[in-house]
Each structure stands twice: as structure tokens, then as C-alpha cells.
Amino acid sequence: MRGYAFQRLALGAAQLALLAVLVFALTALLPGDAADVRNNEDATDAQVAALREQLGLDRPAVERFTDWAAGLPTGDFGTSLVSGGPVRDILADTVGTTLVLGAVTLAVVLPVAVLLGVASGLREGGRLDRTVTSVTLALNAVPDFVLALLLVAGLSLKLGLLPATWVGVEAGDLLAEPALLVLPVTVVAARVVCLLSRQVRAGVVSVLGAGYVVQARRLGVPRRTLLLRHVLPNAAVPGIQELARVGDNLVGGVLIVEAVFAVPGVATALVRAVEARDVPTVQGLALVVAVAALLFSLAADLLCHRLVPRTEVLR
């Protein structure tokens, strides 16, 4: 287990280093810079050049990347070109909101997906299985932003049951007003539950048909013991692997609903930073999102390996 964990950590560190290079390179390709955005149309070329020199944007890209990368191990993401304060202060103000939204979504996804997958797998071909399969396939075909608009139109604008947006809501009010979380969490969780429950169902069906399970049933092993000790641990592996695979969808879905519902999280800060060409903030936010996705994938792979050590976890 330790060897596998070390191998995955080394791979994650290499992926993170590559992502840092890609994030810096892609932000360097953005048209214009903060000096262009901050100066008005009447500014002369000399004034723009002076501001560009003041912000350090005229330095060679290699030099700027070296300074930026050197601060990352200590949590120094640089200085915002808009506020003039540390980027980590912006991260501290926004990442918490996104983490709360992601954690609540995950707390909803796991029990619902496992329950639907196990119930469908135990009744393969039955009415419940056919119903769950039809609903999940249909729901999976609906894009996140379309589902968000449908829910807002129906539950918020038509029936007035839930708030449509988070405009005017402070980040600290999230847990104090749970109604705010219902629509964003529902949108993000819907697609992940569809994908995950299908994998859990397939795992349950596969394990129930395995020779050792069939033989155990012939020997009279109680159904509950068979389910808890053999079927669920082995059936959980493909589900957890699927959860790791769709981790990017989960992170991406959270960012999409933040934009749709005006949630004061990472996505909102990222959009504002791009508009202002605040490159250090864009780099910091993008890197934090990438680290979250990598940690999510790493945790899922380690859990798979812990449940079934002999299983080759291939990603």
C-alpha cells in the first residue's frame, strides 16, 4: 500500500509540475494584458508602457515563470495586478465557498448513487432496474447548464420555491441558508449520480454472477452476509474508479453552476480575473482547481487499492 501510495504521489507531483507550466503558458497567450485593460482609450503608448513596466509585465516570460514557480511551494501565488494584494487572499475568500458546494454535492452523490446502483443490480431486469436505467440515461443526456435553466424556470420563477441566484448573498451565509444550495447541488449531482450508479449496478451484477458468490449461495451463506462482506466491497471498486474518472466532471460542474447561479466562488473570481487580465490571480485559481482534481483522483485510487489490493487500478 505504501509503495503504491508513493508511486501515485510521485505521478501526481509530476502532473502538477506539468500543469503549472501549461497554466502559465496558456495565460501568457491571453490577448492584451492588465496595462491595456487598466488604461483608458485616451492613454498614450508611453503611459501604457510605463504601467506595464510598473507591473513587471515587460520582463521576459522565463523570468516571470521562475519567480512565480519559486513561490508556489511556500503558498505564494504572487500579487494581484488589480487589488495589489496577495493572490492567496483572493483564494482564501473564494475557495471556501467552492469547497462547501463541492463537499455538500459529494455528500449527496455517494449515498444516492450507491443506493440506486445496488438496488438496480440486485433486481437486474426488474421494473426498478428498468426505471432507474431509463431515468439515469435520459438525465445524463441533459447538459448541466440546460438542467440549471430548467430548474430555475420551474422551481424558482414559476413556483417560487427556491432562490434563483446567489446575488447579494455573502459567502458566510451558505450553511445558514441551505435553500441556496438546493438547485446548484442538484444540477452538479445529477450527472455524477447517473454515471456512478450505472457503474455500481454493473459491479453488483458482475459480482453476483461470479463463481465464488454462486458457490457461497449454494452452501447457504446468508444473503446479508454475502452482500456486506463480498458483493459490496468488490462492486464498489468500479464505482470508485468511475468516481475518480468523473472527478473532473464534478469539479467542472461546480464551476459551471457557480457561473449560472452567481455563486461567489472560484469560478466568479476566475471570470473577473480574466476580464481584468489579472494573470497572477488567474494562474493561482487555475492551479488550485487542478490540485483539487488531482487530489480527488488520488484519494479515489488509494481507496480502490485499499478495498481490493490485488486489483490493478488503471487510469
Side-chain angles (χ1 to χ4, degrees):
M1 182 68 184
R2 289 183 180 179
Y4 179 75
F6 179 78
Q7 180 184 356
R8 287 292 287 114
L9 284 173
L11 178 61
Q15 291 175 320
L16 186 58
L18 179 60
L19 282 171
V21 175
L22 287 176
V23 166
F24 187 90
L26 291 175
T27 51
L29 295 177
L30 287 173
D33 55 25
D36 295 323
V37 175
R38 291 175 58 174
N39 276 302
N40 56 45
E41 296 180 354
D42 298 330
T44 64
D45 292 342
Q47 290 174 319
V48 174
L51 181 56
R52 186 171 288 121
E53 181 180 2
Q54 178 186 343
L55 297 175
L57 300 176
D58 59 339
R59 295 187 300 157
V62 174
E63 183 179 336
R64 285 185 280 127
F65 173 76
T66 303
D67 290 346
W68 178 67
L72 295 180
T74 61
D76 181 9
F77 293 88
T79 302
S80 169
L81 300 180
V82 175
S83 67
V87 172
R88 62 184 170 208
D89 289 350
I90 299 175
L91 298 179
D93 292 338
T94 56
V95 170
T97 302
T98 302
L99 285 178
V100 169
L101 187 55
V104 173
T105 302
L106 197 58
V108 172
V109 163
L110 291 179
V112 173
V114 171
L115 183 62
L116 289 177
V118 171
S120 300
L122 293 177
R123 297 169 178 76
E124 182 186 11
R127 179 178 299 176
L128 176 63
D129 184 29
R130 295 196 301 272
T131 302
V132 172
T133 299
S134 301
V135 172
T136 53
L137 287 176
L139 193 57
N140 189 43
V142 181
D144 290 342
F145 72 94
V146 174
L147 179 61
L149 295 178
L150 291 175
L151 290 177
V152 168
L155 299 180
S156 298
L157 302 182
K158 182 70 174 179
L159 300 178
L161 297 177
L162 295 166
T165 72
W166 290 24
V167 173
V169 177
E170 298 293 335
D173 296 337
L174 298 184
L175 298 180
E177 298 184 44
L180 291 168
L181 292 167
V182 175
L183 290 183
V185 168
T186 301
V187 173
V188 182
R191 181 184 296 272
V192 182
V193 165
C194 293
L195 296 172
L196 193 57
S197 64
R198 297 295 301 159
Q199 289 297 322
V200 173
R201 175 197 175 278
V204 170
V205 171
S206 175
V207 175
L208 286 176
Y212 71 93
V213 173
V214 174
Q215 182 63 18
R217 295 171 70 177
R218 288 175 181 166
L219 294 175
V221 176
R223 180 182 175 87
R224 181 176 180 181
T225 301
L226 198 62
L227 182 64
L228 295 178
R229 293 188 178 181
H230 301 287
V231 175
L232 288 182
N234 288 283
V237 173
I240 296 172
Q241 288 177 314
E242 179 67 11
L243 182 61
R245 192 183 70 80
V246 301
D248 295 342
N249 289 356
L250 183 62
V251 175
V254 169
L255 298 181
I256 289 174
V257 299
E258 282 190 3
V260 173
F261 293 98
V263 179
V266 169
T268 303
L270 188 59
V271 170
R272 292 173 180 169
V274 171
E275 290 175 346
R277 296 298 186 270
D278 189 358
V279 172
T281 301
V282 174
Q283 293 167 341
L285 291 169
L287 204 57
V288 166
V289 172
V291 170
L294 284 176
L295 290 177
F296 194 87
S297 173
L298 174 63
D301 279 355
L302 291 179
L303 186 56
C304 284
H305 193 78
R306 180 67 182 87
L307 287 173
V308 185
R310 289 172 297 180
T311 300
E312 292 292 337
V313 183
L314 300 176
R315 301 273 338 271

